[in-house]
Amino acid sequence: MIPAIRNTYNQQFTTEKYKAFLEGVADDAGIAPAFRIAETPVFVPKALTNKLVTACEEIIDVLLRPDFKTLTQDAIPPSLKVPNENDHPHFIVIDFAVTREEDGTLAPQLIELQGFPTMFAFQEVMARQFKLHFDIPSNFSNYFNELDDYTYYKLLKEVIIGEFPPEEVILLEVKPEEQKTRIDFYRTEKMLGIATVCITELILEGKKLYYLRNGVKTPIQRIFNRIIFDDLQKQADTLGEHVDLFQELEVEWITHPNWFYRISKYMMPFIHSDYVPKSWFLHEIPVLPTDLENYVLKPLFSFAGQGVLIDVTQADIDQISNPENWILQRKVQYAPAIITPTGPAICEIRMIYVWEDGAARPMLVHNLARISKSKMIGVGFNSKDTWVGGSCCFFEEVQSGY
């Protein structure tokens, strides 16, 4: 995105450096990634950084509306509501496509958002390994709010573990060893000292949860939740006996599962910003646009891009029996803004927020990027390309206060 820096990086790139970088990532995390990591980070110019931050803060303003919970009361499917929801999510991630405006300047457009954690531990590893193996300009940072590697992990420890002993806090997932994101679980364990536990390993006594840590029954005070509950519901019959997480439990959720649905595509029709494509609940559109080819259909209750219809037709809409569970969104045109030795690529940038208990607003802390040369963004859609996959951003002249 910054021609001089991009050209220098491409010219200095070697497969040997990339191989050493990947080996460093695996050594640091304790396991090799189960997805492709791109050959390059994304260098974000200051003007685009400012637009990204502005877009995020406009979205956060909607989240801070006093009527937000009323506004999103139908966002949580009744069968997926979990008791004891707290006042706010501890984590928010906001995904933007990088596009071009009419004047040719780069601009973000919102793609999706979630009240859910992301690859917190792994993204730090990736950024640090990029800095170790490649020449990253000193006036670029992967962090915001003057964080560094030490203060970033200190913040995560405070939010995820708090005052509890690490052994009484777990990272909870469904079949964690089968997840593509398991490298993040390994790194989280290594840095925070908490165990990754499958839902089938939970022990319930009354309303208290326990797990076996090195053969010793250990109480669980907090759950760092990585379960997507509609995915859990789909797999429930194949998991065998496991604890019902939809009941009253004496445990703290970091973050509570209900926020995954409240902060999601469901919010998009309520956000009015130059950086958010126009969106409607499908059942509330009085007249359908005549240029449906310029729109996408998204199911409200899905994840990882599943079920999204890109080339919308009237026939697609006619076949939908539950329009209240879909949104129609103006299509976003990605800009081929990243020049690579094997052709131009598009990208998405995920802005990562942490919201401490007692804080008035969530704080922007880190990022994630996905680089693609296909029609779909995501690490699963680029298995045959190079210079694509998961990545991270380095932002030019990141300022205090972001």
Side-chain angles (χ1 to χ4, degrees):
M1 297 185 191
I2 303 174
I5 295 174
R6 171 53 54 201
N7 291 339
T8 298
Y9 184 93
N10 290 0
Q11 290 168 5
Q12 294 180 351
F13 177 88
T14 66
T15 55
E16 290 76 19
K17 287 182 180 180
Y18 178 56
K19 182 179 178 182
F21 159 73
L22 293 178
E23 290 173 350
V25 167
D27 289 344
D28 211 339
I31 187 177
F35 50 86
R36 193 176 200 287
I37 298 179
E39 285 84 342
T40 180
V42 178
F43 299 104
V44 183
K46 183 178 179 181
L48 179 56
T49 300
N50 291 337
K51 291 177 182 178
L52 282 162
V53 173
T54 296
C56 286
E57 292 303 313
E58 290 175 349
I59 293 167
I60 297 299
D61 286 341
V62 175
L63 175 60
L64 291 173
R65 285 176 50 168
D67 64 342
F68 181 77
K69 282 200 172 185
T70 301
L71 201 67
T72 58
Q73 63 185 353
D74 294 329
I76 312 166
S79 64
L80 295 176
K81 287 185 178 179
V82 175
N84 302 320
E85 181 182 323
N86 63 333
D87 292 335
H88 64 73
H90 297 91
F91 312 114
I92 303 166
V93 297
I94 309 176
D95 294 347
F96 295 94
V98 176
T99 70
R100 285 198 186 276
E101 298 184 323
E102 291 184 2
D103 63 2
T105 58
L106 295 172
Q109 283 291 307
L110 179 66
I111 296 297
E112 195 160 1
L113 64 168
Q114 293 177 347
F116 195 74
T118 191
M119 308 274 281
F120 286 111
F122 177 68
Q123 287 305 115
E124 183 275 332
V125 170
M126 184 194 298
R128 182 158 41 79
Q129 290 295 329
F130 267 125
K131 288 185 280 190
L132 282 172
H133 294 279
F134 296 95
D135 184 17
I136 307 300
S138 60
N139 63 322
F140 282 70
S141 177
N142 49 301
Y143 293 111
F144 294 89
N145 280 296
E146 300 181 334
L147 291 172
D148 56 26
D149 292 347
Y150 173 77
T151 54
Y152 175 69
Y153 265 113
K154 184 174 182 289
L155 175 64
L156 291 184
K157 184 177 180 180
E158 290 171 354
V159 173
I160 295 171
I161 298 177
E163 298 180 357
F164 294 106
E167 60 268 20
E168 295 184 4
V169 180
I170 65 165
L171 186 159
L172 187 64
E173 179 54 289
V174 177
K175 300 179 180 178
E177 291 300 321
E178 297 180 14
Q179 302 297 328
K180 285 189 175 182
T181 53
R182 59 185 177 270
I183 190 171
D184 185 62
F185 306 160
Y186 276 78
R187 182 61 183 176
T188 302
E189 290 179 354
K190 187 175 180 180
M191 295 305 298
L192 299 183
I194 66 176
T196 299
V197 177
C198 179
I199 184 175
T200 60
E201 299 168 344
L202 296 176
I203 301 167
L204 179 64
E205 295 183 0
K207 295 183 180 182
K208 292 285 294 182
L209 290 173
Y210 301 83
Y211 75 109
L212 294 179
R213 186 181 179 100
N214 301 321
V216 178
K217 189 172 75 171
T218 306
I220 300 170
Q221 304 290 347
R222 273 187 173 180
I223 294 175
F224 177 35
N225 181 50
R226 300 297 290 267
I227 293 178
I228 297 173
F229 272 57
D230 56 341
D231 185 38
L232 169 63
Q233 195 175 56
K234 292 172 187 175
Q235 298 185 62
D237 293 339
T238 66
L239 293 176
E241 185 176 348
H242 61 277
V243 170
D244 176 14
L245 296 177
F246 297 96
Q247 62 182 302
E248 289 275 350
L249 298 169
E250 293 180 5
V251 70
E252 293 184 15
W253 292 95
I254 309 292
T255 193
H256 193 282
N258 290 355
W259 288 106
F260 178 83
Y261 302 100
R262 289 191 185 277
I263 302 176
S264 65
K265 294 184 289 288
Y266 194 94
M267 273 184 66
M268 293 184 70
F270 303 113
I271 306 169
H272 304 290
S273 166
D274 290 339
Y275 305 116
V276 177
K278 185 63 178 175
S279 305
W280 301 267
F281 295 110
L282 188 57
H283 70 297
E284 293 183 352
I285 300 177
V287 179
L288 286 172
T290 57
D291 57 337
L292 283 174
E293 68 276 7
N294 292 321
Y295 291 82
V296 295
L297 266 175
K298 292 184 174 183
L300 289 174
F301 308 115
S302 71
F303 62 97
Q306 295 183 3
V308 175
L309 299 177
I310 294 178
D311 299 311
V312 181
T313 66
Q314 184 66 52
D316 292 325
I317 293 175
D318 291 342
Q319 291 177 6
I320 293 176
S321 59
N322 54 343
E324 69 279 4
N325 291 336
W326 291 76
I327 61 170
L328 186 69
Q329 176 191 306
R330 186 78 181 177
K331 188 178 289 186
V332 172
Q333 297 294 333
Y334 291 76
I338 301 176
I339 305 304
T340 81
T342 56
I346 61 175
C347 80
E348 280 183 8
I349 296 174
R350 171 171 289 182
M351 306 289 271
I352 300 172
Y353 279 79
V354 172
W355 197 342
E356 295 183 88
D357 287 331
R361 294 179 73 92
M363 181 172 69
L364 181 58
V365 297
H366 210 275
N367 77 90
L368 178 152
R370 298 187 184 98
I371 302 173
S372 178
K373 294 177 183 175
S374 70
K375 201 170 189 178
M376 293 288 285
I377 287 276
V379 294
F381 297 106
N382 295 281
S383 58
K384 297 180 181 179
D385 290 323
T386 58
W387 291 74
V388 297
S391 188
C392 68
C393 297
F394 291 101
F395 297 90
E396 183 181 18
E397 300 178 12
V398 177
Q399 299 176 1
S400 175
Y402 285 170

